[in-house]
């Protein structure tokens, strides 16, 4: 909730003596994201850099280091206000099902990274994802179902 972004009630911490943190955010509807807001912890323990990966379910620390992100930001230390919005590239964040945020470092470059709030600005594209209407599969192909025009006796023209 936008109003509680700076109340300090909820915090997420990286492992002790590990500045990196991964946060996977799935959306239940397709969205178009236009901005990101990150509020770190007090005492400069907040994240100083974030890398964003869109529509990837397989991002872990190894994958995050190898893949180029869709966008990357050097963050400002804005733990008191949470007013800084980082604009997202419209072409990269047009149809988003999930975002993985890789927080690489913190401002003190030591200890754990503290995260208080992550928010996205954007709009919903679809009301809901529809399940498939009909799913057909073949366990064993039936040759009669896959006949060509030549096998049916229909003349074919080769150009």
């Amino acid at each position: 909730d936008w109003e509680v972004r700076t109340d300090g009630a909820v915090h997420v911490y990286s492992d002790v003596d590990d500045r990196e943190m991964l946060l996977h955010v799935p959306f239940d509807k397709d969205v178009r994201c236009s901005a990101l807001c990150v509020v770190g912890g007090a005492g400069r323990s907040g994240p100083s850099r974030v890398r964003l990966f869109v529509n990837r379910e397989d991002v872990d620390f190894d994958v995050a280091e190898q893949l180029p992100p869709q966008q990357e930001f050097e963050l400002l230390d804005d733990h008191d206000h949470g007013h800084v919005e980082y604009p997202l590239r419209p072409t990269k964040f047009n149809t988003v099902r999930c975002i993985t945020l890789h927080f690489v470092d913190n401002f003190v470059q030591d200890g754990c990274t503290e995260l208080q709030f992550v928010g996205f600005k954007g709009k919903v594209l679809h009301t809901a994802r529809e399940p498939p209407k009909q799913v057909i599969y073949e366990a064993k192909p039936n040759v009669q179902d896959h006949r060509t025009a030549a096998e049916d006796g229909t003349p074919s023209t080769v150009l």
Side-chain angles (χ1 to χ4, degrees):
D1 193 2
W2 181 253
E3 288 77 30
V4 299
R5 70 189 181 284
T6 58
D7 71 358
V10 179
H11 295 267
V12 176
Y13 298 91
S14 66
D15 290 337
V16 176
D17 296 327
D18 188 3
R19 300 181 309 258
E20 284 187 278
M21 183 188 313
L22 280 175
L23 181 65
H24 182 74
V25 182
F27 298 102
D28 60 354
K29 298 171 178 69
D30 290 342
V31 295
R32 177 176 295 135
C33 294
S34 58
L36 167 70
C37 177
V38 176
V39 178
R44 299 185 50 84
S45 63
S48 62
R49 195 173 104 199
V50 63
R51 304 172 78 222
L52 291 92
F53 301 91
V54 176
N55 298 335
R56 299 283 310 230
E57 303 282 342
D58 62 339
V59 178
D60 59 14
F61 287 108
D62 293 333
V63 172
E65 289 178 13
Q66 294 173 3
L67 283 179
Q70 272 72 26
Q71 197 159 353
E72 187 170 0
F73 293 104
E74 294 293 329
L75 302 173
L76 299 174
D77 190 9
D78 186 37
H79 71 274
D80 292 333
H81 307 291
H83 293 297
V84 178
E85 290 184 3
Y86 301 94
L88 300 174
R89 293 184 190 131
T91 57
K92 301 290 184 178
F93 296 86
N94 192 25
T95 306
V96 178
R97 292 182 311 277
C98 63
I99 295 178
T100 302
L101 297 99
H102 179 213
F103 296 100
V104 180
D105 207 350
N106 60 32
F107 288 102
V108 292
Q109 298 179 343
D110 190 26
C112 68
T113 298
E114 182 180 355
L115 191 59
Q116 184 174 315
F117 177 84
V118 173
F120 296 95
K121 184 183 275 188
K123 72 178 204 172
V124 176
L125 297 179
H126 304 290
T127 55
R129 285 195 199 102
E130 293 187 29
K133 301 279 188 239
Q134 182 179 15
V135 177
I136 301 173
Y137 70 94
E138 288 182 306
K140 182 178 178 185
N142 185 354
V143 177
Q144 297 302 321
D145 292 340
H146 303 283
R147 296 181 59 91
T148 64
E151 292 172 330
D152 288 337
T154 306
S156 61
T157 306
V158 178
L159 299 175

